[in-house]
Amino acid sequence: QFSTPRPSVVFRLPKQEVGLVVLCGCCGKDIATEMFLNNPDIEIRYNSQLLDPTTWDIWPNGKCVRLLKKFGAASAAAATTGHNYLSVKVQNITEPVRISHLITL
């Protein structure tokens, strides 16, 4: 949970086969839009590359936002043989950002 300005939180992801990355929030059934999609103060990076929030979508339910769909040229996710990293940084926090799950494939 982020409730005051802090450095980025970095997740070391397991080796991925597809490139799917989904971030879920807590607590509520339809919080992903407000907490992630419409939050101008959140910055998410995949292997240091800033992700474009306009490419994210709600998936598979209202608690989660799909950050990356698959590896490929049109994606920030490039196939690697090692671990990948996801960092989340929140500035000017007006509402806490609570992460409940991080899904990768």
Side-chain angles (χ1 to χ4, degrees):
Q1 171 182 327
F2 302 102
S3 57
T4 59
R6 299 170 192 252
S8 299
V9 171
V10 179
F11 298 93
R12 181 177 183 235
L13 307 178
K15 293 179 184 178
Q16 296 174 260
E17 297 291 325
V18 177
L20 174 72
V21 178
V22 178
L23 192 62
C24 301
C26 172
C27 297
K29 291 184 177 183
D30 295 307
I31 56 154
T33 299
E34 183 177 334
M35 189 175 294
F36 302 117
L37 287 181
N38 294 339
N39 187 345
D41 296 322
I42 196 165
E43 178 182 283
I44 300 177
R45 294 179 180 268
Y46 183 84
N47 290 337
S48 300
Q49 183 175 349
L50 183 63
L51 299 181
D52 180 359
T54 64
T55 64
W56 306 346
D57 62 344
I58 300 298
W59 188 89
N61 59 49
K63 295 176 73 167
C64 303
V65 63
R66 180 169 44 186
L67 305 173
L68 298 170
K69 295 178 183 177
K70 63 181 180 176
F71 291 132
S75 171
T80 62
T81 56
H83 293 278
N84 294 299
Y85 296 87
L86 187 79
S87 68
V88 180
K89 184 175 184 179
V90 181
Q91 300 181 30
N92 305 319
I93 300 169
T94 55
E95 293 292 325
V97 172
R98 296 180 180 100
I99 297 171
S100 64
H101 296 82
L102 177 57
I103 302 166
T104 64
L105 183 62

